[in-house]
Amino acid sequence: MKTYQLTGIGNAVVDVISQADDSFLELMGIEKGIMQLIERDRGEVLYAAMEGRVQTPGGSVANTIAGAGALGLDSAFIGRVHDDALGKFYADAMNEDGVDFVNPPVAGGELPTSRSMIFVSPDGERSMNTYLGISSELSSADVSSDVAGNSQLMFLEGYLFDKEKGKAAFLEAARNCHKGGGKAGIAISDPFCVERHRVDFLLLIENELDFVIGNEAEIKSLFETDDLEEALAKTAAICPLVVCTRSGDGVTVLNGSARIDVPVEKVVPVDATGAGDQFAAGFLFGMATGRDYETCARIGNVCAREVISHIGPRPEANMQDLLRAEGLLQGD
C-alpha cells in the first residue's frame, strides 16, 4: 500500500473564474467577498452570465493538496465526482498535477459534479457561488481506511460538515490516520460553516484532531467572540496546534504555551482566491518535512503571496525555486 505525506478530504469542485465589477455583483444579487451555497438553477444562471471563464479543478482542501504536491509532497485527495464531463476533467486534472485522486468518478452518480462560480473584483476580492452537487454526498464509503491509515498528515475540509455522512467520514478518517501514527487536522473553511455546526466542530477539534488552520474571522467564530486573543486562547486550550492567518497582520501559531507571530510582506492582491489554501499548503509542507513552526509559517506566507499575484487559486510559479530564493528550501 502506498504511503502519503499528506492526504486531504474535501469537496471536489470545478472552479469557474471570471472578473466582475461591483455593479455586476449588485445586478446579479451576489454578496461580495463571501462564499454562498446555491441551488442548481441559480448556478446555471450565473454560469451563463460569466464572461472570459477560466475553468480549473478546485475546492479549498483540494487546492491545498495540489499546492503541497507542487512543493514536492507525496499527496492524495479524497473527493466525490460524477462521471460526467466536469467530473472526468476534475479527476484527470488532479492526477496531472501530481496528486493521486483516490476515488474514480462515480458511474451514474446521484448528482452532477460540483462547481463554483467565482467572481473576482478589481480589488482582488472573490465572491464565490457554489453548487455542491455530488461532492457533498461524500461518506465513509469514499474514504479508504488504507489511504487514511498510511497518511503522515490528514487535512479535512470544514465545508463537508453540512451533512452527517461527511462528519462520520471525517471521524473515521481521523481515527484511521491516528492508528497509522499520523496527525489529523482541519481547515475551518468559513465562519458561516462554523455557525451551522459549532458544537460538532468543537467536539471534533477537542477529541479527534491535532491541528487547526483558520483565518481570524473563523477562529473567532468558534467561540462567538470578537476578541481574537480570547478565541486563540480558548482554541489552544482544546487543540495542540492552532494556526491563525491574519491577512496583512501576519500569522499566529500557538503550540501549547508557546506562541509565534510571523509577519508578512504586504502586497496588493490581483486575486485573493486561494490565499488561505496555499498558505495551508506551505505550512503543511513544512510540517511534513520536519521544519519548525516559524519556518512552516514563512513557507506558507510565500505560497500565499505567489497565488494572490495572479488569477486562479493554484500556484503558477515554480514554488521550489521561490522557496530556495527565500532561503527556505535546501537539499529537499
Side-chain angles (χ1 to χ4, degrees), residues 5 7 24 27 36 49 60 64 70 149 180 187 191 204 208 213 224 226 271 279 295 301:
Q5 291 171 289
T7 298
F24 175 87
L27 176 67
Q36 290 182 306
S60 175
T64 294
L204 184 77
E208 307 291 346
I213 300 178
E224 299 181 88
D226 290 326
D271 173 15
F279 170 84
T295 303
N301 287 341

Side-chain angles (χ1 to χ4, degrees), residues 11-17 35-48 50 53-59 80-82 84-87 89-90 111-118 128-136:
N11 280 309
V13 183
V14 177
D15 284 339
V16 188
I17 303 168
M35 195 285 289
Q36 290 182 306
L37 297 177
I38 58 174
E39 297 300 321
R40 187 173 178 178
D41 290 347
R42 168 75 167 160
E44 291 175 355
V45 169
L46 293 181
Y47 184 85
M50 300 179 87
R53 294 185 292 253
V54 176
Q55 182 173 293
T56 180
R80 189 173 177 85
V81 297
H82 187 49
D84 52 18
L86 281 180
F89 162 79
Y90 191 97
L111 292 169
T113 294
S114 310
R115 72 287 312 265
S116 180
M117 279 63 69
I118 302 172
M128 304 169 66
N129 296 263
T130 303
Y131 166 61
L132 287 178
I134 195 173
S135 69
S136 63

